[in-house]
Amino acid sequence: MAYCILEVVLDTPLNSSFDYRWPCQPGEEPQAGQLVLLPFARREVIGLIVAIKHDTEVPPEKLKDALDVRSQLSPLPERWIALARFAAEYYQRPVGEVALPGLPKNLRVPKTVALDRALKKLARLDPVQDATATGMPVLNPAQQEAAAAIGQAEGFTPLLLYGVTGSGKTEVYLQACAQVLARDPSAQILVMVPEINLTPQLEGNISARFPGVMLATLHSSLSEGERMLHWLAAHQGQARIILGTRLAILASLPNLKLIVIDEEHDPSYKQQEGLRYSARDLAVWRARQLGIPIVLGSATPSLESWHHAQSGRYRRLELRERAVRDAVLPGVRLIDTERDRPRDGLTGELLKALRQRLERGEQSLLFLNRRGYAPVISCDACGWISNCTRCTAFMVLHKPENRLRCHHCSLELRIPRHCPTCGNVDLQPLGRGTQRVEEGLQAMFPEARVLRIDADSTRRKGSAQAAFETVHRGEVDILVGTQMVAKGHDFKNLTLVGILNPDTALFSQDYRASERLFAQLMQVAGRAGRAGGAVSEVLVQTRYASHPLYGAVMRHDYERFAGSLLDERREAGLPPFMYQALLRAEARELPIAIEFLEQARDCLPAGGILVNDPIPMTMTRVHNVDRAQLLVESASRPALQAFLREWVELLRAMKSRVKWSLEVDPLDI
Ligand code: ADP
Ligand code: ZN
Ligand code: ZN
């Protein structure tokens, strides 16, 4: 019997590939990109073939046979493997740890029932698709220009679609999709959104406009069966439009011709655990690799993208006005909470505005980025406060469940009846979260229909969508919510946005806090007055009414604000003018983590890299683990990359028992 050697990568922290033997006749070898079932460390695991060879350095007695090549599945394209290789190199991870977790779970199990079932299902579908778009509205001139620029772009073209909230960016995307599909009916288009909750709205729009085209969705709340089916539809080129959250960037899309990233500035494009990739950055890489256009859309672009647009690397497209006739950006007013003291968190001005909306039958939205009832409870008598015993954080009061909850380690306790230190029975909630605001509103406006939307109220699958639908149907008068309600939603009858307590971010140590706060306020303000007609306004309750950030929000002046932030970053030597990586260490005790980082610093390879001191993370302890970090920086990305490659080798060789991880381009430092 003849054999060939399969070189495979596996989902292991080992940074190497493995050789296996596979019996086959010459000319019938498997191909790179195929999946294969293998014996590995007394288990059966799935690997990805990256090369076919005829000999190996593995001694014959150690060479194992592969168990099954998944020949029913077409190979993952070479360019997809190149993407995984790039991401692995860039983020300093083994290729297998990038490539395999990117595949649906059902492909990574010994049994093939799920795969075979999905294949059968897709084979039964009509192969003919009608890419004609229907019901397209007439675009305004600015939209037309933008859509044409995207639709006609050739080769790698990054376009920044900078359009105010409600300027009709979605229509531009849809029109551009229509143009691409009209030219090439088998083209695939990837559309990414930052939040799962935004997929139903866009899914509805896309399937209404392209009724004859197969649409696949990829996000984390699909069941494994659905995920398999949708992934496969994309991989086989059947799905023409693929709508997803950040994980969709790792989908196999053999005929990808256009990428759209909506709300490109959104931090949720950054994966915060495991492979900490930026889906936006990978998307730009992918577009360059394939030589295709990519659209980055936002009313408040990330400073990185804005900087590229300023320097001409990205082409800027602009929508300065709202798309709906008569719809204008809402007026923004600041309410000084020193003068107008809030009652139940709401100032007199805001209450008056709410009352007006109720009388007119219009909807209001109150935005507060803090869930729960109160962020902490305390004892007036002795000063005890509800600290989490496992984290550097407070236990948050959740009133509906009568619980204290830590939002970082999920510790849950019953609310103590009396103070654990002095026995005082009068424990007080301090501050307020969405639950408390909701309660206050219900007491003040008993006839109003108040709905709270946050991570707590939408735990059940489908409940977020149901909640948003009740708002769209007009069955809600006052909506209270966290950032979940701030993004992207096209509420038609909403004319008042109240922003409660945004001030904390003004004084954050995180240098990105003001960029984020500004984007968030512009986003949430942008939910008001989208349909035109009624006068809409945004009221911001603040103690710092003269802060320049609020001035910029009042003027809807992203450009000047971004300009001044970029100047500050340039002066201070911060991204996007500097490239950073963060080494994190976790240990039972902080000194152990710090000591590890000091050792890591001592074994640094030479090179023009700026190395900071190891410091505890702002939230030092989470779930009884202490965390510290070491920041390294360079003005040159290639220099940083070269340095990291060497450093990671040295770190791996250190054999420390400390758990460490490296993050490239960290967002939170
Ligand atoms: P954005 O994503 O820029 O915030 P949307 O794409 O949600 O804005 O559009 C805002 C509203 O404008 C939507 O209700 C949409 O239907 C409407 N709209 C978009 N383009 C047009 C147009 N050309 N004519 C009329 N209405 C439009
Ligand atoms: Zn006490
Ligand atoms: Zn905790």
Side-chain angles (χ1 to χ4, degrees):
M1 188 63 185
Y3 290 98
C4 68
I5 305 294
L6 310 178
E7 183 182 338
V8 301
V9 294
L10 305 174
D11 182 10
T12 66
L14 301 172
N15 198 10
S16 56
S17 54
F18 302 84
D19 287 350
Y20 283 85
R21 208 165 63 146
W22 178 250
C24 62
Q25 297 304 330
E28 288 172 6
E29 291 93 352
Q31 294 173 46
Q34 285 191 303
L35 297 180
V36 57
L37 185 69
L38 306 160
F40 183 79
R42 282 191 226 119
R43 285 180 306 137
E44 291 182 356
V45 302
I46 289 286
L48 170 71
I49 304 178
V50 291
I52 308 294
K53 307 191 293 195
H54 291 284
D55 47 59
T56 172
E57 279 154 26
V58 180
E61 70 278 9
K62 287 216 169 134
L63 192 62
K64 290 191 204 145
D65 282 352
L67 303 171
D68 178 40
V69 172
R70 303 296 200 223
S71 49
Q72 63 272 62
L73 182 72
S74 55
L76 284 145
E78 204 176 298
R79 290 203 277 208
W80 184 84
I81 300 177
L83 169 71
R85 276 196 201 284
F86 166 77
E89 239 165 67
Y90 188 79
Y91 295 110
Q92 309 294 333
R93 290 301 201 97
V95 183
E97 259 195 351
V98 176
L100 290 148
L103 304 174
K105 255 208 196 94
N106 280 342
L107 272 182
R108 292 181 278 138
V109 293
K111 292 214 170 82
T112 60
V113 245
L115 170 62
D116 297 333
R117 193 184 314 128
L119 282 166
K120 220 179 268 162
K121 209 162 173 179
L122 289 176
R124 277 200 299 267
L125 297 179
D126 186 353
V128 184
Q129 295 190 36
D130 178 1
T132 326
T134 59
M136 294 301 234
V138 180
L139 297 189
N140 63 39
Q143 284 176 309
Q144 251 168 41
E145 200 179 310
I150 303 163
Q152 288 157 20
E154 278 174 30
F156 172 57
T157 317
L159 303 122
L160 179 68
L161 178 60
Y162 165 53
V164 299
T165 53
S167 58
K169 294 187 282 296
T170 317
E171 289 302 340
V172 172
Y173 306 145
L174 293 172
Q175 191 68 247
C177 292
Q179 294 185 24
V180 169
L181 287 171
R183 255 201 327 264
D184 174 1
S186 63
Q188 292 185 300
I189 299 168
L190 173 62
V191 180
M192 303 220 288
V193 290
E195 278 247 350
I196 290 182
N197 300 314
L198 289 169
T199 51
Q201 182 178 306
L202 198 49
E203 202 178 333
N205 280 333
I206 295 174
S207 32
R209 297 302 169 71
F210 301 99
V213 153
M214 182 168 176
L215 169 68
T217 51
L218 287 172
H219 52 71
S220 58
S221 71
L222 295 183
S223 68
E224 283 307 326
E226 290 168 318
R227 175 128 190 257
M228 177 82 234
L229 197 67
H230 288 226
W231 183 91
L232 203 57
H235 171 64
Q236 304 197 124
Q238 283 167 291
R240 300 295 151 77
I241 303 183
I242 295 84
L243 172 63
T245 51
R246 63 170 178 262
L247 58 87
I249 195 54
L250 294 173
S252 160
L253 301 160
N255 205 20
L256 186 59
K257 291 292 181 298
L258 171 68
I259 304 178
V260 174
I261 306 205
D262 194 23
E263 314 289 4
E264 66 88 30
H265 64 279
D266 201 291
S268 20
Y269 284 119
K270 180 81 199 277
Q271 165 82 19
Q272 292 292 15
E273 55 200 40
L275 178 76
R276 292 167 175 253
Y277 62 92
S278 155
R280 182 192 64 215
D281 296 352
L282 287 182
V284 174
W285 189 87
R286 219 173 164 174
R288 176 178 300 122
Q289 175 203 35
L290 299 175
I292 60 170
I294 174 168
V295 189
L296 305 160
S298 178
T300 51
S302 64
L303 290 182
E304 280 75 8
S305 300
W306 188 246
H307 179 54
H308 286 327
Q310 302 286 64
S311 71
R313 279 180 64 179
Y314 292 0
R315 173 156 173 212
R316 181 162 116 188
L317 307 170
E318 232 176 279
L319 306 176
R320 299 203 149 269
E321 263 141 44
R322 286 201 153 171
V324 174
R325 261 177 70 128
D326 301 337
V328 287
L329 288 172
V332 179
R333 268 196 298 142
L334 305 179
I335 308 174
D336 185 342
T337 51
E338 291 291 290
R339 283 202 212 126
D340 185 350
R341 293 272 173 171
R343 202 185 107 212
D344 283 329
L346 307 173
T347 56
E349 277 286 295
L350 184 52
L351 285 172
K352 201 170 87 192
L354 281 169
R355 215 166 280 126
Q356 276 175 356
R357 292 330 187 272
L358 287 171
E359 280 160 12
R360 292 194 217 134
E362 295 164 7
Q363 293 177 313
S364 306
L365 162 65
L366 296 184
F367 170 71
L368 173 62
N369 219 354
R370 180 171 268 164
R371 63 193 174 87
Y373 186 84
V376 58
I377 61 171
S378 82
C379 167
D380 275 348
C382 75
W384 173 86
I385 47 174
S386 56
N387 281 311
C388 175
T389 51
R390 307 195 294 202
C391 309
T392 328
F394 296 131
M395 301 281 289
V396 177
L397 172 60
H398 283 256
K399 207 167 172 191
E401 300 90 352
N402 262 310
R403 294 272 176 178
L404 291 178
R405 262 194 207 141
C406 173
H407 289 180
H408 304 279
C409 71
S410 320
L411 180 65
E412 266 199 38
L413 301 172
R414 224 172 307 137
I415 301 172
R417 257 182 256 268
H418 44 74
C419 173
T421 28
C422 75
N424 173 16
V425 290
D426 193 19
L427 296 177
Q428 292 296 330
L430 285 186
R432 71 192 63 244
T434 45
Q435 291 170 357
R436 195 169 185 184
V437 171
E438 178 192 20
E439 186 186 86
L441 284 168
Q442 269 160 353
M444 281 183 283
F445 303 105
E447 346 55 87
R449 295 163 300 176
V450 178
L451 179 70
R452 170 169 58 87
I453 300 188
D454 56 26
D456 299 307
S457 77
T458 54
R459 278 194 200 288
R460 267 181 309 107
K461 193 179 171 181
S463 59
Q465 196 185 340
F468 283 114
E469 275 161 17
T470 56
V471 183
H472 289 301
R473 280 199 305 269
E475 291 162 14
V476 173
D477 299 311
I478 306 175
L479 176 61
V480 183
T482 54
Q483 42 140 357
M484 257 182 86
V485 298
K487 300 180 190 178
H489 294 280
D490 193 28
F491 302 124
K492 298 277 196 258
N493 190 29
L494 199 131
T495 61
L496 173 68
V497 169
I499 298 172
L500 313 183
N501 199 18
D503 291 339
T504 37
L506 293 178
F507 308 102
S508 163
Q509 288 180 17
D510 179 353
Y511 73 91
R512 286 184 200 267
S514 48
E515 177 187 359
R516 277 199 195 146
L517 176 61
F518 182 79
Q520 208 165 50
L521 296 184
M522 295 288 275
Q523 278 293 314
V524 65
R527 297 315 103 205
R530 296 170 72 85
V535 178
S536 65
E537 62 181 342
V538 178
L539 301 181
V540 184
Q541 296 191 159
T542 172
R543 278 182 62 188
Y544 304 93
S546 58
H547 197 285
L549 186 145
Y550 294 133
V553 173
M554 273 170 75
R555 295 189 304 273
H556 299 278
D557 190 358
Y558 166 79
E559 288 178 47
R560 208 156 80 191
F561 188 69
S564 68
L565 285 185
L566 277 175
D567 288 343
E568 278 173 35
R569 300 265 185 98
R570 194 181 287 114
E571 295 268 302
L574 288 167
F577 304 99
M578 203 66 165
Y579 299 94
Q580 302 181 320
L582 200 58
L583 179 64
R584 290 207 177 83
E586 300 184 349
R588 282 264 165 238
E589 307 288 340
L590 185 62
I592 301 175
I594 297 273
E595 193 192 308
F596 168 82
L597 294 178
E598 275 163 0
Q599 283 166 7
R601 190 178 51 174
D602 292 341
C603 79
L604 281 184
I609 299 294
L610 186 63
V611 182
N612 295 270
D613 287 328
I615 51 167
M617 285 176 63
T618 315
M619 186 179 291
T620 309
R621 179 170 277 255
V622 171
H623 213 144
N624 285 332
V625 171
D626 279 349
R627 308 165 328 148
Q629 64 184 41
L630 172 62
L631 181 70
V632 296
E633 308 174 88
S634 169
S636 149
R637 201 198 288 266
L640 182 64
Q641 280 288 314
F643 162 83
L644 292 176
R645 251 192 311 281
E646 249 185 275
W647 198 28
V648 164
E649 289 301 312
L650 296 170
L651 292 172
R652 290 210 174 104
M654 265 171 62
K655 298 220 165 36
S656 161
R657 266 170 307 159
V658 169
K659 194 174 152 209
W660 60 270
S661 62
L662 189 70
E663 179 172 7
V664 182
D665 304 331
L667 278 191
D668 303 291
I669 57 171

